[in-house]
Amino acid sequence: MGTQKRLLVVTDLDASLLDGDYSWKAATPALERLRALGIPLILNSSKTLSELIDLVDELGLQSPLIAENGGAIAAPADSGLLDSNRTPDRAGDYLLKVNGLSRDFILSVAHGLRERFGFRFSGFADWSDRQVADRTGLPLTKARLAKVRFATEPILWEDDEARLADFERALAKEGIRALKGGRFVHLMGTADKADGLKAVLKLYREAQPEAEWHTVALGDSANDLAMLEAADIAIVIPHADGPRIMPRKPTAIHAPAPATRGWNKAVLALLNQYG
């Protein structure tokens, strides 16, 4: 019996599967085709696991999730992809595996440095649900989900820039990165979205060793670049002004439109090509 070739689709969310209104509706034809063909669709995002679980309930997915930029991997408890004896942590109906440093460790180091050297910052662990909502612009229900973290901690830096460099150097000695985002500084381990893709691919290879898995990754931003380059097939989702990343892959595909519409067309074209 020959090796069975199978696709594993891993996608970014914002400005990729989701449009500016956080809607995925324009991708319905491709989502239905993936479901009909039994092709797993893996969400790979900076969002928290709680936020992703909320979304997969809408999408009707039963596949693993990659949360917090690759820092947390979760799989439905009944999927058999994670062993409940070796991975006892749970989040609702999902088994959870931290892929690198835990948030508890990151907080102990960061808060220890704050107490010891007087660095001025505050973060999600310091704030109430309402304060997170006020600082992020999220609705209160979404802010509550955004607070449930396992591998990262967003902070607001309230000190000067020279002190931030000192803080970053102290964190780096413990293997912690400080990644500047639009408003927040994100404290995290070294795991990224590419590590998340590789961790989930390993789960599928172990569960179905008879299959030859080919990974497809879709993303739009610099945060997705390593994931696209780690995949067998990379699909770049452009913005209105064109693509913002250029993966170093000769086989990279460029979607014909931004966000959800481009995602839908690119996935359907790929599935047609692969039959």
Side-chain angles (χ1 to χ4, degrees), residues 1-6 208-212:
M1 185 175 178
T3 303
Q4 180 189 12
K5 294 183 179 181
R6 298 206 57 191
Q208 299 180 38
E210 73 284 356
E212 181 185 331

Side-chain angles (χ1 to χ4, degrees), residues 4-15:
Q4 180 189 12
K5 294 183 179 181
R6 298 206 57 191
L7 290 179
L8 185 69
V9 179
V10 183
T11 185
D12 172 54
L13 290 177
D14 295 339

